[in-house]
Amino acid sequence: MKKRFNVTGLCYPNENYMVDIENRLREIKELVAEGKYFVINRARQYGKTTTLWALQQYLQPEFVSVLLSFQKLSSLDFSDEFTFTSAFADIFVQSVRRKNIAGLDEGSMAELEKLSEGKDTPAGLRKLFKIFGDLCDRAPKPLVLMIDEVNNASNNQVFLDFLAMLRDYYLDRKSIPVFQSVILAGVYDIKNLKLKIRPEEEHKYNSPWNIAADFSVDMSFSTDDIAGMLKDYESDYRTGMEIEKIADDIYGYTSGYPYLVSAICKLIDERLGNKGAFKGDSAWSAAGVKEAVRIFLKEPNTLFDDMIKKLTDYPELNLMLREILFSGQTFSFNPYNYVINMGRMLGFLRERNDSVEIANRIFEMHLYNYFLSEEMTGSITYKTALQEKNQFVENENLNMDKVMEKFQEHYSEIYGDNDIRFLEENGRRLFLLYLKPIINGSGNYYVEARTRDMNRTDVVIDYHGSQYIVEMKIHRGEVYERKGMEQLAGYLKEYHLSKGYLLVFNFNKNKRTGIKTVQYGGKEILEVIV
């Protein structure tokens, strides 16, 4: 049976191309050996379930580990303490029996079975934990409890009561038998479970899980991780790809987000090889990676569906993302800021150099597409570019000079008389709106995060294998303009390009506008002032 890249459900080493996660498992095992209780809270489709499944095997033979999933419970199972106790006992017993976990005390297991079947007088959490205590006391090796998909319980008070009792038993662990370690996995950390039920300010951080150790294991994929997975693929197919280069390209778009890495590889393997412009091995190339990203961005997927839902659920986060993307606003990283913490927990944001930024280039491109799509129907800019788009493409090549020229005309005619504040806040967004229908379907663009601030933004455009760089700056004087030339020339050198574009927004009352070509640092730069 041939291995495949997998983006749905568990990954199995004998069936799927996978990153080697042994180092991560070793780090987690150390926490277990130290008797820590902790939460693996990472964004959706970040490999949590696959990690827990692998961890259960990895903990043998030193520990007995039982892995449960709250996906097997319905909302009714959380309706009250007695129903939850019975349901929890049932999935515990089923997990032990199904995995043939040997050595657990049969008397205690029989009590759990009775509890799950409701044969005795209804019993609550105290009865459940008494049985767990006996089970831990009589177990041949330290017992580890792992619970996946705890988000399914996040709005239920009975689950918080369950956590509180786990905490009390943990605090008494020197005098009573308890689980060696308890591992919960889900998107939300436990403080946010409490917050979702009791949103009043005084309860926001009153977590029933304040015993939890920090979980700092990096679950994202490094370039070396990706290269290792590609080496496994290459040993099967002998494509001749430049493994390290392709791994670096994939990382550049995904920042190692596990689902995104696997999705891009899957598209190259299954959709691009021997298809269209890509014949066989050439799909595993820089052009193939770009094409896979283009396809991924235009097709629906569960990760993007969830992202859009979260933008509706958390309007403050929605606003912060817009300000980062379109205004170049900088937000200092503070883990106690609710919006920043939520954005990081959901995987939208990450911390870098004491500031927050969009977590990866694919998310950034998707968010640009989504936010701009909300404005398309009423945007004169978008409609104008849509009507003119045919004149910008010649033999599948983008005429970027004409794009810049026409944008300058359009901007001056329609927005020249608008107030300065409107133009400062919207100028760069208007250019992206103009650009979108021109390259839509055949190309992509992204904003280089390291250059984005309130005064400068670099846009990198990919179109049919060619790249174009447009630096957008707000005019701050001639010296600042020359600095922009210097920055753009350096960036063109980095991308091995001979020509670039400088779009200057001049908001002075007596401003000069126009287009000119200049030579700077051995590079040709088309400067457009609006």
Side-chain angles (χ1 to χ4, degrees):
M1 177 180 172
K2 290 184 178 180
K3 285 187 178 181
R4 289 284 183 263
F5 292 103
N6 182 38
V7 294
T8 55
L10 277 168
C11 290
Y12 301 99
N14 61 329
E15 297 178 13
N16 307 117
Y17 292 109
M18 292 176 58
V19 161
D20 183 356
I21 62 171
E22 184 170 356
N23 288 338
R24 296 164 178 78
L25 296 177
R26 187 180 300 114
E27 287 186 65
I28 300 173
K29 186 176 180 179
E30 289 176 6
L31 293 174
V32 172
E34 293 170 3
K36 303 296 187 183
Y37 286 27
F38 55 95
V39 184
I40 302 177
N41 67 282
R42 293 292 185 272
R44 281 202 67 202
Q45 295 176 295
Y46 219 90
K48 299 182 293 295
T49 299
T50 295
T51 298
L52 287 179
W53 182 86
L55 181 65
Q56 187 176 30
Q57 326 305 317
Y58 192 79
L59 291 177
Q60 298 175 355
E62 293 96 326
F63 304 95
V64 176
S65 55
V66 179
L67 172 58
L68 315 178
S69 174
F70 274 179
Q71 269 195 332
K72 291 183 171 62
L73 300 183
S74 68
S75 57
L76 182 63
D77 290 324
F78 293 94
S79 58
D80 58 65
E81 179 180 335
F82 303 111
T83 305
F84 174 79
T85 297
S86 177
F88 192 93
D90 182 55
I91 61 172
F92 188 95
V93 170
Q94 293 303 320
S95 180
V96 170
R97 301 301 190 212
R98 202 167 46 249
K99 291 291 182 69
N100 295 316
I101 298 174
L104 293 181
D105 176 61
E106 281 301 325
S108 299
M109 291 301 298
E111 286 193 71
L112 283 175
E113 286 182 332
K114 287 182 181 179
L115 203 58
S116 70
E117 295 166 0
K119 291 183 178 179
D120 293 336
T121 302
L125 290 173
R126 288 180 61 189
K127 175 67 172 177
L128 179 66
F129 274 84
K130 180 185 180 304
I131 299 172
F132 281 152
D134 292 339
L135 203 61
C136 294
D137 188 36
R138 299 165 188 170
K141 291 174 285 190
L143 188 57
V144 178
L145 176 65
M146 299 186 286
I147 307 176
D148 196 11
E149 300 291 351
V150 294
N151 298 328
N152 286 19
S154 60
N155 282 318
N156 296 281
Q157 186 63 46
V158 67
F159 176 58
L160 299 179
D161 294 338
F162 172 78
L163 291 180
M165 194 160 287
L166 269 176
R167 176 189 60 191
D168 289 343
Y169 271 73
Y170 173 84
L171 295 174
D172 286 339
R173 66 193 182 280
K174 297 297 183 182
S175 57
I176 60 175
V178 296
F179 293 109
Q180 166 73 14
S181 177
V182 175
I183 307 170
L184 309 178
V187 173
Y188 297 98
D189 65 28
I190 300 304
K191 282 189 295 188
N192 289 87
L193 297 184
K194 192 68 171 178
L195 180 150
K196 290 178 75 171
I197 295 172
R198 304 177 69 184
E200 306 89 32
E201 191 68 29
E202 64 270 24
H203 293 301
K204 273 191 176 179
Y205 297 105
N206 182 22
S207 169
W209 200 238
N210 55 15
I211 58 169
D214 290 335
F215 181 78
S216 57
V217 177
D218 187 359
M219 293 177 64
S220 64
F221 296 164
S222 67
T223 51
D224 288 341
D225 290 331
I226 299 169
M229 180 171 61
L230 293 180
K231 285 176 183 176
D232 189 15
Y233 178 89
E234 183 68 5
S235 68
D236 289 339
Y237 290 95
R238 308 292 182 184
T239 69
M241 76 169 87
E242 296 181 62
I243 291 175
E244 284 72 21
K245 176 65 169 63
I246 301 304
D248 191 57
D249 286 347
I250 293 172
Y251 183 85
Y253 281 102
T254 65
S255 296
Y257 196 112
Y259 173 81
L260 298 179
V261 171
S262 295
I264 298 305
C265 290
K266 187 177 178 68
L267 283 169
I268 296 173
D269 176 44
E270 299 179 10
R271 300 269 295 273
L272 299 185
N274 299 312
K275 303 283 184 181
F278 295 96
K279 301 299 182 184
D281 302 346
S282 63
W284 289 98
S285 61
V289 173
K290 291 174 186 174
E291 178 64 11
V293 170
R294 187 188 70 82
I295 294 171
F296 183 79
L297 284 168
K298 75 175 188 177
E299 296 182 351
N301 61 73
T302 55
L303 185 61
F304 284 172
D305 290 346
D306 186 68
M307 177 180 281
I308 300 307
K309 181 180 183 301
K310 292 297 188 293
L311 292 177
T312 302
D313 292 343
Y314 301 102
E316 302 96 333
L317 177 59
N318 187 318
L319 178 61
M320 177 179 284
L321 293 171
R322 289 173 184 270
E323 290 179 342
I324 291 172
L325 292 173
F326 293 115
S327 302
Q329 183 71 46
T330 299
F331 295 92
S332 298
F333 175 73
N334 186 326
Y336 292 101
N337 180 297
Y338 169 74
V339 180
I340 291 174
N341 186 44
M342 184 63 67
R344 189 173 63 150
M345 188 172 61
L346 294 173
F348 298 179
L349 297 172
R350 66 178 177 180
E351 184 268 334
R352 185 176 182 179
N353 298 328
D354 297 323
S355 298
V356 293
E357 64 179 23
I358 309 301
N360 58 70
R361 191 175 291 169
I362 287 180
F363 279 7
E364 182 174 290
M365 296 162 81
H366 173 63
L367 289 169
Y368 271 119
N369 289 341
Y370 173 69
F371 289 144
L372 291 174
S373 71
E374 295 182 319
E375 304 182 43
M376 287 177 187
T377 53
S379 169
I380 298 174
T381 299
Y382 181 85
K383 290 177 180 177
T384 301
L386 188 62
Q387 293 168 356
E388 298 177 344
K389 65 177 294 185
N390 291 336
Q391 65 180 298
F392 300 124
V393 179
E394 302 166 358
N395 298 320
E396 295 192 344
N397 294 314
L398 182 64
N399 188 334
M400 198 64 205
D401 287 24
K402 185 167 286 188
V403 172
M404 301 301 293
E405 175 189 335
K406 286 295 183 179
F407 176 75
Q408 196 268 349
E409 291 179 11
H410 165 79
Y411 185 91
S412 299
E413 290 173 4
I414 299 177
Y415 299 105
D417 295 330
N418 281 72
D419 65 83
I420 292 175
R421 181 173 181 180
F422 169 84
L423 295 175
E424 284 204 40
E425 291 179 352
N426 296 282
R428 286 176 287 193
R429 195 183 84 255
L430 292 172
F431 175 71
L432 295 177
L433 263 172
Y434 190 80
L435 184 62
K436 185 166 181 55
I438 296 171
I439 66 170
N440 194 38
S442 298
N444 277 314
Y445 62 79
Y446 61 88
V447 173
E448 181 56 56
R450 59 186 160 150
T451 69
R452 180 180 49 224
D453 57 36
M454 297 188 73
N455 295 315
R456 176 192 178 197
T457 296
D458 286 325
V459 180
V460 182
I461 302 163
D462 292 323
Y463 192 89
H464 282 301
S466 298
Q467 286 189 311
Y468 310 86
I469 295 178
V470 180
E471 178 170 325
M472 296 185 286
K473 296 185 76 72
I474 296 176
H475 179 74
R476 302 294 188 205
E478 297 299 324
V479 173
Y480 189 80
E481 201 168 312
R482 284 196 298 273
K483 185 179 179 182
M485 294 277 188
E486 180 182 344
Q487 291 169 332
L488 179 56
Y491 206 36
L492 291 169
K493 183 178 180 180
E494 184 179 330
Y495 270 73
H496 307 290
L497 297 172
S498 60
K499 183 173 183 177
Y501 301 85
L502 181 62
L503 177 58
V504 181
F505 294 92
N506 190 334
F507 303 122
N508 297 334
K509 288 185 177 179
N510 299 317
K511 66 181 179 181
R512 62 175 180 83
T513 62
I515 300 175
K516 65 180 179 180
T517 300
V518 299
Q519 299 292 326
Y520 195 99
K523 303 296 181 181
E524 181 181 334
I525 297 175
L526 184 70
E527 182 183 33
V528 179
I529 302 176
V530 297

